Amino acid sequence: MPEVVGIEPDDRTAARARVTVAKVDNATVVEAPFDPAAFDQESFDLVSFAAVLHHLPLGQSLEAAQSLLRPGGRLVLVGLAREVSADLPWSVASMLLNPVVGLIRHPHRAAEVPASMTAPTLEATETFDQVAQVAREALPGVKMRRGLFWRYTAVWVKGIG
């Protein structure tokens, strides 16, 4: 049976994640910083970062993640980028759509911030173009896409590109 390993350095966020996957037999959450030395090289079919990469050293983390992948394995990123003036059309669209999406997804005002939104956060420091440049150097053939809400996605397959 395939296994899923989640890595979370914040103790409270890791504890919440463990509760979320408690009934999933093949999923574990490790409370630790991302350290590829803790795993065997080429031991994963998939490595993903969801709103995480801007908390880590960009190039070093991409290289470490790709070293964990088996040949044919995928690295999937959903990241946050720092806004710059060149992103103005994306930013305007995001600012206009953000309250609409928020209203649709959460039509009633919350009494307090949900526990799932209390993890420590950092602002993104790299722009989309900076992330894309580093990603293309570390991951030849990576497919990068800019998205709304200051997000980007990237997919890379080891051995292709």
Side-chain angles (χ1 to χ4, degrees):
M1 174 181 280
E3 293 183 45
V4 176
V5 178
I7 302 170
E8 173 54 56
D10 180 67
D11 59 338
R12 291 188 312 180
T13 306
R16 280 195 306 278
R18 276 192 211 93
V19 169
T20 301
V21 300
K23 295 181 181 179
V24 180
D25 293 335
N26 63 335
T28 58
V29 176
V30 177
E31 184 183 323
F34 175 60
D35 179 8
F39 302 97
D40 293 333
Q41 298 292 301
E42 297 190 343
S43 59
F44 290 90
D45 295 314
L46 172 70
V47 173
S48 67
F49 291 99
V52 170
L53 200 52
H54 66 283
H55 291 260
L56 302 171
L58 180 59
Q60 176 185 342
S61 298
L62 292 175
E63 290 172 10
Q66 67 92 7
S67 75
L68 295 174
L69 289 169
R70 292 183 181 109
R74 291 182 185 272
L75 175 59
V76 178
L77 311 172
V78 178
L80 299 167
R82 180 173 56 86
E83 181 181 27
V84 293
S85 59
D87 299 328
L88 186 62
W90 289 96
S91 296
V92 169
S94 294
M95 286 187 295
L96 293 173
L97 290 172
N98 195 36
V100 174
V101 171
L103 184 60
I104 291 168
R105 291 196 52 170
H106 306 285
H108 304 289
R109 186 178 193 94
E112 58 187 52
V113 175
S116 62
M117 295 183 68
T118 59
T121 60
L122 292 174
E123 293 289 325
T125 57
E126 291 102 357
T127 66
F128 174 79
D129 290 338
Q130 290 169 327
V131 172
Q133 179 180 351
V134 172
R136 288 183 184 111
E137 290 170 6
L139 310 167
V142 67
K143 305 281 192 253
M144 301 278 309
R145 288 205 168 118
R146 184 186 316 240
L148 291 172
F149 310 116
W150 306 277
R151 305 281 199 282
Y152 63 87
T153 58
V155 176
W156 180 76
V157 180
K158 187 170 188 171
I160 297 177

